[in-house]
Amino acid sequence: MGTRLHGRGLSIGLVTRDPVLASKVLSAGRSAGCSVLWVSSPDELPLHVDAVIVGSDASVSEHLRPTVKVGEEVSAECAVLRAIAASRSRGAPKLEVSVDPGRRMGLVVLLNGVVIASSVLVEVSELIEAVKDVVRCVRTDPSVIYVGSRPGPELRDLLSAIKSNFPSSEVTLVPEGPDIGAPLPEDLKGDALDAYVIYLRAISSAPEE
C-alpha cells in the first residue's frame, strides 16, 4: 500500500511471537505515527492501548479494545489501518473521501471526520486503486466523495472513473472559495493538504441536519 496512513497519538498493542511479522507491523505503525507495543502474550498488554493487532500464532479473548487479526491475507499496513480505523470509530463509521484534482491529485480519506490515509497521485487509475485499498482494509464504502471543482478534461475523466467504481457513493463537487479558518493537520502537505481543505470547505457549506 503506497498510501500514507495517519494514526498519530494512537497506541496499538501487538500480540505475536513472530519477529518477522512484528518487524513489519512496527515499521508500518511507526510510518503512521502510532506507538506500537509488541508483546508475546495477551497478559502483557497494557490497559491504555487503543486497539490490538493479533498474529495468527496468538489469541486475545474478552479484550476490551478493538482487535484486528493479521495473517497471510492481511498485510501489516492493512492491519495497522484497520487498528487505526477501529480506534477512530465511535458509533457508526462514516468513511469520506476528498480529492484535489489536477495533474497531481491530492487524496485524503477520513473516518468520522478524522484523516486516516492520504496520498498524492498522477494517474486516475492509481487514485481509484488507492481508495479501493483503503475500502478493502476498513471494510466500509465511502458515503461521500468530495471533488474540487476546476475546469478541464482531467475533472471529467476523474468524475467518470469515480462514479463507475463507487456507484453507491454520493459524489459532491466543491467549488473554490476563501480559505477555511480551521486548524490544519501538521502531517498533511501539498496536494494532500489541498484535498483536506476541500473537505473542510464541503462540510462548512453543507446544510445542518
Side-chain angles (χ1 to χ4, degrees), residues 66-170:
T67 301
V68 175
K69 295 285 283 187
V70 59
E72 292 182 358
E73 74 285 356
V74 179
S75 68
E77 291 81 5
C78 186
V80 169
L81 180 54
R82 284 184 182 176
I84 292 170
S87 302
R88 301 300 192 198
S89 294
R90 296 294 181 262
K94 181 181 181 181
L95 194 72
E96 297 170 287
V97 174
S98 185
V99 181
D100 177 40
R103 293 183 178 178
R104 284 166 50 93
M105 295 172 288
L107 166 70
V108 292
V109 183
L110 307 98
L111 186 67
N112 294 353
V114 179
V115 176
I116 60 170
S118 69
S119 193
V120 176
L121 309 115
V122 295
E123 298 289 342
V124 170
S125 59
E126 294 176 334
L127 183 139
I128 296 298
E129 195 56 38
V131 177
K132 285 184 175 180
D133 282 345
V134 174
V135 168
R136 280 191 288 263
C137 279
V138 302
R139 294 172 286 196
T140 301
D141 290 327
S143 58
V144 187
I145 300 177
Y146 304 105
V147 181
S149 178
R150 65 172 60 180
E154 296 95 346
L155 180 60
R156 291 194 298 271
D157 294 343
L158 175 61
L159 289 175
S160 176
I162 288 173
K163 290 176 180 178
S164 62
N165 283 277
F166 305 100
S168 63
S169 302
E170 177 186 345

